[in-house]
Amino acid sequence: MGRNLAEKIIAAHLVGGGMEPGQEAALRIDQTLTQDATGTMAYLEFESMGIERVKTRRSVAYIDHNTLQSGFENADDHRYIQSVAKKHGIWFSRPGNGICHQVHLERFGVPGMTLVGSDSHTPTAGGLGMLAFGAGGMDVAVAMGGGAYYINMPKVIKVELSGALRPFVTAKDISLEILRILSVKGGVGRVIEWGGEGVKSLSVPERATITNMGAELGATSSIFPSDEVTRAFLKAQGRETDYSPLAPDPDAEYERVIKIDLSALEPLIACPHMPDNVVPVKNLRGVKVDQVCIGSCTNSSLMDMRKAAAMLKGRRISDTVSMSVSPGSRQVLSMLADCGALSDILASGARLLECACGPCIGMGFSPNSGGVSLRTFNRNFEGRSGTADAKVYLVSPETAVASALTGEITDPRSLGLEPIEIEMPASFKLDDSAVIPPAGPDEAAALEVLRGPNIKPFPEGKPVGDSISASLTLKVGDNISTDHIMPAGAKILPYRSNIPRLSAFCFAVCDKDFAKNAKAAGESIIVGGANYGQGSSREHAALVPLYLGVRAVIAVSFARIHAANLINAGILPLTFQDPADYGRLEQGERLLLSGIDAGLDSGEITLTAACGEIKLRCAFTERQKAMLRAGGLLNYTREARD
Ligand code: MIC
Ligand code: SF4
């Protein structure tokens, strides 16, 4: 039987475990990436492992999230990351050089390699044929140290594309269509593999727009084949030698095949507050728009920006719309300036923001009260923009510009504009001067790591033990995202390396007293609904609850990265055997988990609550059980080494 693409790359990197359904596969990792909001923790964890030099083929530290620097904290974190990177063999992409996923695609991604990044949108690199995973910082630290990265052997869904996109219908609309079909839970435990004739018509950045939003499906990864389009992109980036062709076997098997006819697609829009709340743009015609943002790791490539600029050229945005444009990288910005497209953007009345995540993570440019914001981004969770009552919609750059011009939600096809034809450049502008190489091993030994006062030690997990008696300090519903658990935004992000300070904001969106109550309780348990922990890879959504005394989370189901982060932190993620039992628990009551040690092996743990006994499921691999018994990944790694 032939192999699909995901299986081929997994097989080529398998260093332990197995590839059968239900098994855990241990993978050798070729490359890692970190960004600054998760990077400080990842490097503190890496340092605690006592390894001198990274063992990967390439590790890159990006600064793209916390670039506001409204106090000393972010700048101190940047200096820490820069110094730790130089010492330990990691390349450092300076602030302003661009968003990690965009820069990695342009300058470092290699088809057929594995990549683990401390950011959930790491699968963006699947646009180049990499098998890339978003993970918590601890997993990235272990991978940098040469340890394996573990995935539950995924099922693979093939999405077969036929036809070609019509004018003003874009790769973003393909991302939204698959979200409409599969929902934010539909990719859990799966790799999404893109194929079919239609693939040839999509450029690498367009493919990356699609793999990027694999994260919103909850997928383990998302990947395109590597073909002549990939070769042309790498050649234009001066990296043709990184090219190798990659395709599934003709008789490869898939769990399911979904067919999408590109010529039948139309512009789509995700409505507040979920990326899968998708309808045709034309259904919302006339809804007044206050703000439009173009950028983020989903839609900030040169082609995205040039198409937006072409639509803006010679036109003015509506007086009632505030519009931002953040190019994905210095390369993109510089090429926009060289070809004059930047002037067209500026002349239209749009504001230029720096090459960083910016408004996507609430780092400035928050909408007005109750404002309607159309964004080319990937997430529209409630409050993420920094304005609690804003209504954020997700769209393509073309729909965003059309709406900015008219001041209301507008299908770009309705403007009667000529179709935009922009060729991918034969060569991109190459300047890696904003990427600082690591020191050689001799020089590295003498280098000092610079730590500012904002960098505090991270909390260490403790063994789960045989019983946990704790209060149910918080009960939440379905689809709780890590933006609920550990919100981001300009006020909070500066404390990503300061867990005690960060803890005051934990779950504040759901219950402003949570941090206070959890601290007072000493030890506590959280109860959640389905898809608990969806969204980002931030391990802070596990480390901060750990700091506040959370010992277990009981949910109807978990998102992949968050469940892994809980185990890495030594917190028990348990699910209800009967989801109806969720309704029997009350916030504030006392809970007892007993027989944990035997339960880890039998797969069943008993919860005693006010309503009686409830059976909980704990389907862990041997490695996960060992981690929980040791009190988390770092303790487990240290024990394994000693
Ligand atoms: C996000 O888009 O939510 C983030 C901010 O990039 C996160 C990482 C973080 O919280 O630092 C992610 O996607 O993993
Ligand atoms: Fe940055 Fe937004 Fe992409 Fe996260 S989703 S990496 S915040 S641009």
Side-chain angles (χ1 to χ4, degrees), residues 52-72:
E52 276 313 308
R53 216 172 166 77
V54 292
K55 301 203 164 45
T56 44
R57 293 165 83 156
R58 168 102 56 193
S59 286
V60 190
Y62 293 92
I63 306 290
D64 53 2
H65 281 62
N66 292 343
T67 53
L68 275 189
Q69 298 173 215
S70 50
F72 65 91

Side-chain angles (χ1 to χ4, degrees), residues 248-314:
D249 290 331
D251 57 344
E253 293 207 344
Y254 296 91
E255 180 202 16
R256 172 179 176 195
V257 178
I258 297 172
K259 294 188 186 258
I260 297 182
D261 176 5
L262 297 181
S263 21
L265 278 186
E266 61 179 318
L268 296 172
I269 183 166
C271 304
H273 298 285
M274 290 285 274
D276 61 357
N277 199 358
V278 174
V279 298
V281 173
K282 62 175 193 279
N283 291 12
L284 298 185
R285 205 182 85 200
V287 172
K288 198 179 154 310
V289 173
D290 299 294
Q291 185 192 67
V292 169
C293 305
I294 298 189
S296 92
C297 56
T298 321
N299 276 120
S300 59
S301 68
L302 180 67
M303 302 307 278
D304 280 334
M305 295 289 153
R306 287 203 54 192
K307 283 184 191 155
M311 286 176 72
L312 290 168
K313 189 177 168 104

Side-chain angles (χ1 to χ4, degrees), residues 35-39 65 100-101 118-121 135 215-216 297 357 360-361 378-379 381 384 482-483 486 488 493 496 535-540 561:
Q35 40 90 338
D36 47 330
T38 52
H65 281 62
C100 55
H101 308 303
S118 61
D119 192 279
S120 64
H121 290 101
E216 279 53 62
C297 56
C357 300
C360 178
I361 196 184
N378 47 37
R379 291 191 171 137
F381 301 138
R384 180 177 162 98
T482 54
D483 279 315
M486 201 49 258
L493 272 172
R496 278 291 181 91
S536 89
S537 69
R538 62 189 74 142
E539 65 186 331
H540 302 76
I561 306 178

